[in-house]
Amino acid sequence: MIVGLTGGIGSGKTTVAKIFAHLGIAIYDSDSAAKRIMDTDDELKDQLQTLIGTDVLDENRLINKPFLAKLIFNDDTLLAKVNGLIHPAVGRDFKNWVATQDSKYVIKEAAILYESQAYKACDKVVVVTAPQEMRIERVMKRSGISREEVEDRMAKQWPDEKKVELADYVIYNDQSKSIIKQVLVIHEDLISQSNSRIR
Ligand code: ATP
């Protein structure tokens, strides 16, 4: 069973993923996988070279990430095209990874699980949410970036409310209740659902 774990920037999804990991659940981190794949997936490199040109690869055939970031920063059409290549590459990598796992269910953690449509390949989705101001302050503290920068990134993602509406499970990381307890309840439910599935 594939369980998606998502939430906007600073919602606490990585913190929540760590709790699931403590329970023995295998976690796939889509964001770091995307970065790794850019250096290892030859098919993706070839596709990016066709889209952007030879300059996208350096002399060691590694993606020139600062160059690519600069190009897509203010070009939403190019960003969409690049994402259209990266998301399927992550999908291929995830499929290979899942085949090597034997936990009752696996978690695919992704900041933009809904935005990228990756949720469609998940059996269940857990959304982590927290009040906007709390998220901004946590990210400013964690990453040392400005309020404006956090707000800019937030504006590029779907609002939490939309994700919460579509979620199968919601974790409220607003300090009003223990996230460990919330994870335990969801974990028990997911285990019982995976037990009752016909494999
Ligand atoms: P991003 O999408 O930016 O990677 P995220 O959703 O994965 O963010 P985390 O990295 O888990 O969020 O949390 C953001 C910051 O807030 C981290 O520094 C984390 O330690 C802190 N944080 C998360 N949850 C809590 C909490 N309940 N209490 C205090 N700090 C928290």
Side-chain angles (χ1 to χ4, degrees), residues 7-16 18 31 109 111 128 134-135 138-139 141-143 153 157 173-175 179:
I9 177 169
S11 58
K13 63 193 162 302
T14 304
T15 307
V16 165
K18 284 182 190 153
D31 301 337
E109 179 192 346
V128 185
M134 207 178 257
R135 291 167 53 201
R138 282 175 183 163
V139 177
K141 196 169 159 203
R142 181 197 60 190
S143 307
R153 291 190 198 176
Q157 301 180 339
N173 185 17
D174 57 3
Q175 251 132 17
I179 49 172

Side-chain angles (χ1 to χ4, degrees), residues 7 9 18 22 31 33 42 65 71 96 109 111 123 125 166 172 188 194:
I9 177 169
K18 284 182 190 153
H22 274 292
D31 301 337
D42 283 324
K65 291 185 187 122
L71 278 184
N96 291 335
E109 179 192 346
D123 300 294
V125 176
L166 292 166
Y172 295 91
E188 293 302 324
S194 66

Side-chain angles (χ1 to χ4, degrees), residues 173-187:
N173 185 17
D174 57 3
Q175 251 132 17
S176 69
K177 40 190 166 173
S178 148
I179 49 172
I180 295 177
K181 280 189 191 155
Q182 295 179 75
V183 168
L184 284 174
V185 170
I186 294 169
H187 175 69

